[in-house]
Amino acid sequence: MSQYHIPVQPVETIKYLSVQPNHWYVDCNLGGGGHTELILAAGGNVIGIDLDADAIAEVTKNHQAEIDSGRLILVQSNFSYIDQVV
């Protein structure tokens, strides 16, 4: 995850999202998966969107168990297509 940005205000992000177990959240700029990781750790499920194939590959490598369990869905796309992705 070192080549990707460090999540900004991770504690505040999770607090204000009020992540609920088994609810779905969309990370529209997946990057290295920092915010996604926090949402998953709090019990949420995530649809992660990123145009960068390397970002998708990195998060896949680090979160295969969540993908296999159906808690994480990764889509290579531009977040402007969120309505189609979701």
Side-chain angles (χ1 to χ4, degrees), residues 6 37 41-42 47 55-56 62-63 75 77:
I6 296 171
E37 188 171 304
I47 298 172
I56 298 290
N62 294 324
H63 294 286
V75 180
S77 184

Side-chain angles (χ1 to χ4, degrees), residues 3-5 26-33 47-59 73-82 84-85:
Q3 70 181 7
Y4 298 98
H5 73 276
V26 180
D27 186 341
C28 291
N29 195 10
L30 184 66
I47 298 172
I49 304 169
D50 205 297
L51 194 55
D52 182 358
D54 291 336
I56 298 290
E58 180 75 12
V59 175
I73 299 170
L74 301 176
V75 180
Q76 184 181 355
S77 184
N78 188 299
F79 66 84
S80 66
Y81 298 114
I82 187 172
Q84 295 168 357
V85 170

Side-chain angles (χ1 to χ4, degrees), residues 18-25 39-46 69-71:
S18 299
V19 175
Q20 301 296 310
N22 301 316
H23 287 213
W24 284 92
Y25 301 86
I39 293 167
L40 292 167
N45 303 315
V46 178
S69 71
R71 293 189 57 223

Side-chain angles (χ1 to χ4, degrees), residues 58-69:
E58 180 75 12
V59 175
T60 298
K61 180 177 70 175
N62 294 324
H63 294 286
Q64 191 62 56
E66 291 86 353
I67 293 168
D68 292 345
S69 71

